[in-house]
Structures are given as C-alpha cells and as structure tokens.
Amino acid sequence: MQVTETLSQGLKREFQVLFAAHELEDRLNSELSTLKDKAQIKGFRPGKVPVAHLRKLYGRSVMADVLQNAVNEANQRIVTDNNLKLALEPKIEFPGEQSVVERALDAKGDIAFNVALEVLPSFELADLSDVSLKKLVVTPSEAEVDEAIGRMASQGRPFSPKAEGEAAATGDRVTIDFVGRIDGTAFEGGTGEGVDLELGSGQFIPGFEDQLVGATVGEARLVKASFPAEYAAEHLAGKDAEFDVTVTAIQAPGEVTLDDAFAKGFGMDSLEKLREAISAAIGSDFEAQSRRKLKKELLDALDGKYSFDLPPSLVHQEFAAVWAQVEQDLKTRGKTFEDEGTTEEKATAEYRRIAERRVRLGLVLAQVGETADIKVTDEEVNQALIARIRQYPGQEQQVWDFYRKNAQALAELRAPLFEEKVVDHVLAQVQLVEEPVSKETLFADEDEDKADGKAEPAPASDKAD
C-alpha cells in the first residue's frame, strides 16, 4: 500500500492510496485459503476444495471484501501516521473507469483511490481567570408556596350537585354534551358527550366557558367562539365556530381545609412539611432556570474567547439541522419570513452564524473535556436511561431494548451528561457573583433564548477521535 498526500489546505486533507496488483493477489489468495478450510462444496471433502475453484466461484465477492478491508486499513493508517482528528468520516472516491475496477476485482491491475477528509482544528484553551459571570438567585416566597398549595387544594376539592334550578357560576363543574360547527358543518373533534368542564379553568377555547355561566341543568345554549390563530390543529386555527351545548349536570365546589390531614393526602406528615417540600420544589425550578441563564452567559463568554477555522462539513450539517427546525416552525405556525420581519436571505445568514457558533462551542467543550479527562460513567448513562424509560409508562421494555441495541441513541443520552460536566469544570475557572433577582427577571427572555438556538452548542462527545 502506497499513501501519498495530495492536498493540505486549511482543515481539508486529501490522499491517494495505491494498491498494486500483486498485493491484491496476495490478499485475495490469503482470504481464499482461509475460506478453503470452511467451504462445503458438493463433490469436495471439507478442506480439500482447490483454491483455483474457490476463486472461480467466489473470487469477485471475496475481492470486494478485500477492497473494503483495504480502504479501512488505509483510512486507519492515514489517521495514525498523520496524527489526525477527523471531523467526519472520510470520503472515498474510486476511479471512474469501470475497466480499472474490473481489473482490480480480478487482481490483474493496480487500483488507486482518493481519500478526502476534514480534520478538527487545533487551538489552545483560553485563560478564563478574567471572566466574571452573574448567577441569578431567587428564593421562593410565601405567596408562591400559598399559590401552589391553593392549586393543589383546587384540584383535589370535592364537588356536589347544585340544587334544582340553580344556575352555573364560575368555579362550578358542569357536565355538557356539545356539537361544534364551522360554516355550518360539524368538524372532527368538535363533538362530545358527558364532558366535565370547570367554568373559568380555561380548559376550552377562549369565550366558550364564559357563555355557560348562568345556565341551568337541561338548558341548551348556542355558544360562539373562535379558535386561537396559533391553535395546534391547523385546520381549526383562527376559525369562528358555533357549538350547540346542552348542560346535563352542575356541581358546586366544596371547601378544603388546609391542615395536617390535607398534607397527609400528599404523603407528608404535616402541613408545615408540605410547605417545605413545595418550597424546595419551586426552588429547584428556579435553580434550573438560573443554571440555564448562567450556562448561556458562560457560552457567550467562551464564544468571545475563541476564533478558529471550522470544518465546513460540520457547519453544513449543523446548519441543515437548524434550518429544518426553522422551516418546520414556520410551517406549523403558518408564517413566512416576511411575517417575522425578515427575508429568507437574512434568516439564512443569521442561522448560519448560529450554526457556526454551535459548532465552535461544541469543539471547545470537547477539547476542554478531553484535556481535563472528563468521563461519563456507564452508571451515569444507566441512570439517564432509567429516567428516559420512566417517561414511557407501559413501554419500558421496548424503550430499554431500543437503547441497548442502538449505540447512537445511547450516545445521545451520554452527550448532554458530558456537556454538563464540562460546563461545571469551566465554571470552576471563572468568577461567579450571585445576584438576587425577582422571579420575573429570572424568567425574562426565556422564549427568546429558546427561539434563537444560541444557548446550546453542537453536541460534544467524551470520546476522543
């Protein structure tokens, strides 16, 4: 095997690999000799089939395997001898002339093929001692705990039938039958019988519940309401509808006493213990949001610290994924780029910058993790897998089998675990200043952060190439 570098430009490398005919012949004969001891062919005793006969029967198919092994061997040699870290799998290009390939398959001619690849950039890790980040801190208030307990009490409160002839009021639970129409035609999903609805809960589309206040059992009402413009079902979004509604039952809510007995219904020894648990749960939500904000601020700081060439194929791959998501979002919402105050050209440029940022940050985090020898243990992956399985009650075995048989799926579980460990490692190198803020400040711009896609880097791996 002869390997010659033919291109070294930026992060692109190309090599020509030559296998001489005599080398192909030797490899073919070696494979056929191995096959000889295993082949069972009518008319020959095991192990006694002539190699020439095997070559006549299987020469082409065995040579195809020989060539594939030769390609793999060449790729490995190129990477090892040149100390390369690949961005993506190499691209192999064989000669375009079929006659050359045919002669190689018969081991009667040399064959040369090209190997094109992209390598990961080399860069030094930046000094982060001058980076100062704010960690937003919010302590759950008594009012927030009271509100949470109020919701729990509301969901668990008893209901009892109202007196005959008494009208429905906000907060009551009504049982209704209804048929919905758009432009006089009944629509799919617009019919229901014996449906329980708590008036004022916002369970139905805006305006529907308000028009049932004051109704009595047995009364039929025509309810007119409009589906929101961004309703999940596209064929209903923004449409005006009419509903023939009959109230079949009305129940009034009972009172719930907030005491230790109430707390025991949620597995707590006392109301005070329940309040402590709720406060801790709210605090955990606040901490998670604070972490998201801090991580975004950290990634912004890292993005400003690094500037290096990016593998074009990685950027293209990341942009394609981001762009597909953008187009799907626009389609789901029935919007155009013009509706969003931009053009496709401007949006393309913006999301390409986002893709470049994500690739850059992914490479930085990967190198930080490799340099610090950060690992994700099998036990940690198993815990993540168990958490994922719990999201699919009744399908636990299928989910378990899917991940255990799919290395790529397991890698997708491992990647975020590795990334969070690397983020923790980097945070230990910067200055953190805690800043008490309000809940509103903590959650401000959350939708914008999610929409622009900048908060997350491309997946980093704990596996060195």
Side-chain angles (χ1 to χ4, degrees), residues 55-165:
R55 181 165 182 165
K56 182 179 179 180
L57 293 176
Y58 305 118
R60 281 289 183 97
S61 61
V62 172
M63 181 57 83
D65 292 337
V66 166
L67 288 176
Q68 182 59 59
N69 292 335
V71 168
N72 295 338
E73 182 182 330
N75 289 342
Q76 186 60 47
R77 177 171 165 181
I78 289 170
V79 170
T80 302
D81 290 355
N82 295 277
N83 194 27
L84 302 177
K85 290 186 176 181
L86 302 186
L88 293 171
E89 289 297 313
K91 293 182 179 179
I92 311 300
E93 183 180 356
F94 280 95
E97 297 181 22
Q98 185 62 28
S99 60
V100 175
V101 177
E102 292 289 336
R103 286 179 59 80
L105 287 172
D106 292 329
K108 294 181 179 179
D110 302 344
I111 190 166
F113 55 88
N114 293 325
V115 179
L117 45 85
E118 290 180 6
V119 300
L120 296 176
S122 177
F123 55 90
E124 295 294 327
L125 294 180
D127 178 15
L128 303 178
S129 60
D130 62 337
V131 175
S132 179
L133 304 178
K134 292 185 299 183
K135 180 181 180 182
L136 306 184
V137 178
V138 180
T139 301
S141 67
E142 290 296 313
E144 287 164 337
V145 174
D146 289 341
E147 181 181 350
I149 289 181
R151 286 195 300 270
M152 295 165 67
S154 177
Q155 292 166 2
R157 61 184 173 175
F159 282 83
S160 58
K162 276 193 161 184
E164 185 176 352

Side-chain angles (χ1 to χ4, degrees), residues 34-329:
T34 302
L35 181 62
K36 175 184 176 181
D37 298 329
K38 302 176 182 177
Q40 295 185 1
I41 298 177
K42 188 175 181 180
F44 296 94
R45 287 179 297 165
K48 299 299 183 180
V49 184
V51 171
H53 188 65
L54 287 175
R55 181 165 182 165
K56 182 179 179 180
L57 293 176
Y58 305 118
R60 281 289 183 97
S61 61
V62 172
M63 181 57 83
D65 292 337
V66 166
L67 288 176
Q68 182 59 59
N69 292 335
V71 168
N72 295 338
E73 182 182 330
N75 289 342
Q76 186 60 47
R77 177 171 165 181
I78 289 170
V79 170
T80 302
D81 290 355
N82 295 277
N83 194 27
L84 302 177
K85 290 186 176 181
L86 302 186
L88 293 171
E89 289 297 313
K91 293 182 179 179
I92 311 300
E93 183 180 356
F94 280 95
E97 297 181 22
Q98 185 62 28
S99 60
V100 175
V101 177
E102 292 289 336
R103 286 179 59 80
L105 287 172
D106 292 329
K108 294 181 179 179
D110 302 344
I111 190 166
F113 55 88
N114 293 325
V115 179
L117 45 85
E118 290 180 6
V119 300
L120 296 176
S122 177
F123 55 90
E124 295 294 327
L125 294 180
D127 178 15
L128 303 178
S129 60
D130 62 337
V131 175
S132 179
L133 304 178
K134 292 185 299 183
K135 180 181 180 182
L136 306 184
V137 178
V138 180
T139 301
S141 67
E142 290 296 313
E144 287 164 337
V145 174
D146 289 341
E147 181 181 350
I149 289 181
R151 286 195 300 270
M152 295 165 67
S154 177
Q155 292 166 2
R157 61 184 173 175
F159 282 83
S160 58
K162 276 193 161 184
E164 185 176 352
E166 194 170 352
T170 299
D172 288 348
R173 177 188 292 168
V174 297
T175 304
I176 57 174
D177 299 334
F178 60 89
V179 176
R181 300 183 305 276
I182 294 178
D183 296 330
T185 303
F187 58 89
E188 183 180 356
T191 301
E193 291 185 0
V195 176
D196 289 335
L197 172 62
E198 188 173 324
L199 300 184
S201 65
Q203 181 181 343
F204 277 31
I205 59 177
F208 187 101
E209 297 168 21
D210 295 341
Q211 296 176 59
L212 295 181
V213 172
T216 56
V217 174
E219 182 179 348
R221 287 195 174 189
L222 178 64
V223 172
K224 298 181 179 182
S226 299
F227 286 92
E230 297 183 359
Y231 194 68
E234 292 184 39
H235 67 291
L236 299 177
K239 298 291 182 64
D240 295 329
E242 293 183 343
F243 298 85
D244 290 323
V245 182
T246 301
V247 178
T248 60
I250 302 174
Q251 294 178 305
E255 294 296 326
V256 175
T257 302
L258 301 180
D259 55 13
D260 291 347
F262 171 78
K264 284 182 171 61
F266 294 92
M268 295 294 166
D269 293 335
S270 66
L271 183 61
E272 185 58 33
K273 291 293 184 182
L274 177 61
R275 293 184 64 86
E276 290 174 2
I278 292 173
S279 180
I282 295 174
S284 179
D285 290 341
F286 289 168
E287 180 63 25
Q289 174 64 6
S290 177
R291 167 80 175 193
R292 285 190 288 269
K293 290 273 190 176
L294 179 60
K295 181 178 176 182
K296 182 179 185 303
E297 193 178 353
L298 173 65
L299 295 176
D300 287 342
L302 289 177
D303 193 40
K305 287 280 187 179
Y306 292 93
S307 178
F308 49 80
D309 291 337
L310 301 173
S313 294
L314 280 185
V315 174
H316 176 75
Q317 181 176 285
E318 188 65 29
F319 172 77
V322 172
W323 190 251
Q325 199 171 14
V326 170
E327 291 186 316
Q328 181 59 45
D329 178 62

